[in-house]
Amino acid sequence: MPATTENNNQGSFLGRISIRRNQVMSMDGSHDQEMEDLELFQKHIGDRFSELLSSTSEDSSSSSSSSSGDALLSIAWLRRLLDEFLCCEAEFKAVVLMGRDPSQITKPPLDKLLPDLLDRGVKSLDVCNAVTLGLDAVKNLQRLAEIAVAALEQTPLGDGQVRRAKKALSALVAAMLNDDSNAAAKGTERTRSFGRRAGNTNTTKYKSLSWSMAKNWSAAKQIHAMMSNLTAPRGAESSGLAQPMYMMSTVLVFVMWTLVAAVPCQERNGLGTHFPLPRQLGWAQPMIGLQEKIAEEWKKKEKKGNVGLLEEMQRMDKLGQSLIEFADSFQFPTETERMDEVKKHVEELGDICKKMEEGLEPLQQQIREVFHRVVRSRTEFLLALDQAAKSTTPAL
């Protein structure tokens, strides 16, 4: 769905709910319209993830990728995922909170479901912190690749340039094979060894997010904790506000699980390739399809021990190993056919670096936006709960 069309649809949906909630009518009189709004919210979630699934290309290096979509778990695809999350979150608050009597979210079963959702939100903030740090590690890998590209682009290519490229590529490949908890630190250390500062001056804007995680913090355990008590409402509850509560929890967990799978994070061992999603619910089907695709990638890569499934990192690793093989057997002069192949690989590696240069910073900005959106929404719900409590407290 084009961004303009999607924004128009969302604006229309939010405006429609706002108008209805401003009308004075009893809950009984608005029941049918409430059900219609809930159904439309479900449809929008299904449509958004269907679009993410159907427009996902298998390989962004293919010539058709620009027309068929973004490669799964690529930087561009993750940015689209976060955009969809923010849209879902805005519509969720419109359905559950906008213009509604606060006492309605204190009644069973919402009195238990809402605290669970708010707790998942708090846990997601730590995940945002960890992913932000992981993307800093990816930037360090990018710099190593840029060193190699700059060396191998020299003409004529001599022993000195090849040795410099090999040193950078060996550091890059080794960093990707390290366990997740050390990836950021070792990537930084290796980048500094080449006389480049690991930090980026632009990262100072993220001081609102933590710069480090506790040593015993585990991304896998955090995701498992978010999955706790994630159960679809049954019976009469499935047609009330319990349903959007469950849907938003599911979307939040899926997005955080995907980010942790894609980006090197502290202690991902035991993350797992699935979390339960009810197959009988139509809106969950595209999410299940995406989950299965990501699980396939996970199974392919876990034996190699690579950190993160980020598509650009996987291509960078493959090209890096190929160019290291070239460097190991390099002799001057090199056959023209071999040099043409190397030139092609160097150009592809340079293209990946360019995509990282253009996409990593905006991706971090989006994660920052998600972070602050979750904080703001949590505050809005807590204020609503406080208002409900005051309205039911008898005056002295």
Side-chain angles (χ1 to χ4, degrees):
M1 180 185 296
T4 53
T5 303
E6 183 173 313
N7 291 337
N8 289 338
N9 286 346
Q10 184 186 21
S12 174
F13 178 69
L14 299 181
R16 169 183 169 181
I17 292 181
S18 178
I19 292 171
R20 284 184 178 178
R21 298 287 163 75
N22 287 330
Q23 296 172 348
V24 180
M25 48 184 155
S26 68
M27 283 299 296
D28 291 337
S30 63
H31 178 74
D32 290 342
Q33 293 178 339
E34 288 276 331
M35 292 302 100
E36 187 178 338
D37 289 342
L38 292 177
E39 289 177 6
L40 193 55
F41 177 57
Q42 292 185 44
K43 182 180 184 301
H44 282 188
I45 286 185
D47 289 347
R48 287 193 168 93
F49 283 91
S50 291
E51 180 67 18
L52 278 171
L53 177 61
S54 63
S55 65
T56 296
S57 67
E58 297 298 326
D59 181 7
S60 68
S61 63
S62 65
S63 59
S64 62
S65 62
S66 59
S67 59
S68 61
D70 300 310
L72 181 69
L73 299 179
S74 64
I75 294 170
W77 188 87
L78 290 176
R79 291 187 62 192
R80 289 182 60 197
L81 175 69
L82 294 180
D83 279 341
E84 301 298 0
F85 169 79
L86 291 170
C87 289
C88 290
E89 199 271 347
E91 291 190 4
F92 165 72
K93 284 195 299 182
V95 169
V96 177
L97 199 58
M98 184 187 293
R100 191 180 291 280
D101 182 349
S103 65
Q104 293 178 28
I105 62 173
T106 65
K107 299 175 182 177
L110 301 190
D111 59 336
K112 293 183 179 179
L113 294 177
L114 180 56
D116 284 346
L117 174 60
L118 297 181
D119 181 64
R120 289 187 184 98
V122 171
K123 289 180 171 62
S124 74
L125 301 181
D126 277 344
V127 176
C128 288
N129 285 332
V131 172
T132 299
L133 290 171
L135 290 173
D136 282 337
V138 175
K139 289 179 181 179
N140 294 324
L141 299 178
Q142 172 198 336
R143 294 185 185 100
L144 291 171
E146 287 171 345
I147 293 170
V149 169
L152 294 175
E153 283 180 336
Q154 299 297 315
T155 54
L157 190 62
D159 288 336
Q161 290 89 353
V162 172
R163 282 196 300 269
R164 181 170 176 79
K166 181 183 176 182
K167 185 179 180 182
L169 292 170
S170 297
L172 184 153
V173 171
M176 290 183 66
L177 290 173
N178 277 302
D179 62 280
D180 298 321
S181 59
N182 293 325
K186 296 198 175 187
T188 300
E189 179 182 340
R190 286 188 173 90
T191 305
R192 283 177 175 163
S193 73
F194 283 90
R196 300 282 297 276
R197 293 186 62 185
N200 186 311
T201 55
N202 290 332
T203 59
T204 56
K205 68 179 71 173
Y206 298 111
K207 286 185 178 179
S208 59
L209 306 183
S210 327
W211 273 101
S212 61
M213 307 301 297
K215 289 184 178 180
N216 62 346
W217 189 85
S218 163
K221 289 180 180 178
Q222 195 80 338
I223 296 298
H224 284 304
M226 290 181 68
M227 294 177 188
S228 178
N229 299 323
L230 187 60
T231 306
R234 298 178 180 178
E237 293 179 1
S238 63
S239 60
L241 291 180
Q243 184 69 5
M245 285 278 183
Y246 169 71
M247 293 168 68
M248 195 61 229
S249 282
T250 301
V251 170
L252 179 64
V253 173
F254 176 81
V255 170
M256 294 300 141
W257 173 82
T258 302
L259 288 175
V260 170
V263 179
C265 291
Q266 181 173 311
E267 195 57 52
R268 296 188 313 149
N269 293 333
L271 177 63
T273 55
H274 282 87
F275 63 90
L277 284 171
R279 293 184 175 274
Q280 72 274 17
L281 298 178
W283 60 266
Q285 292 302 314
M287 211 176 296
I288 292 171
L290 287 169
Q291 188 183 63
E292 290 173 347
K293 280 193 170 187
I294 294 170
E296 288 175 9
E297 292 301 310
W298 186 280
K299 290 175 182 177
K300 290 178 187 176
K301 304 300 189 299
E302 66 180 349
K303 293 182 180 179
K304 295 175 62 178
N306 289 50
V307 292
L309 299 179
L310 190 68
E311 198 266 346
E312 285 83 0
M313 288 177 60
Q314 299 303 321
R315 289 173 58 199
M316 187 178 283
D317 179 42
K318 184 178 179 180
L319 290 167
Q321 294 189 35
S322 175
L323 290 171
I324 288 174
E325 291 177 5
F326 162 75
D328 285 337
S329 61
F330 175 76
Q331 288 183 341
F332 185 83
T334 304
E335 296 178 1
T336 302
E337 184 177 341
R338 183 76 189 279
M339 282 305 300
D340 288 343
E341 180 184 353
V342 170
K343 182 180 179 181
K344 182 179 179 181
H345 287 169
V346 172
E347 288 176 352
E348 188 176 347
L349 188 58
D351 181 61
I352 295 171
C353 291
K354 183 179 179 182
K355 287 184 177 180
M356 287 183 164
E357 184 67 29
E358 294 172 349
L360 287 176
E361 195 74 22
L363 178 58
Q364 283 187 316
Q365 290 174 357
Q366 281 178 294
I367 292 172
R368 182 174 183 247
E369 184 178 355
V370 168
F371 181 99
H372 290 295
R373 177 75 71 83
V374 171
V375 171
R376 185 164 64 249
S377 295
R378 173 180 163 80
T379 301
E380 290 172 5
F381 274 105
L382 290 177
L383 285 174
L385 291 173
D386 185 56
Q387 290 173 8
K390 288 180 179 178
S391 65
T392 56
T393 302
L396 296 176

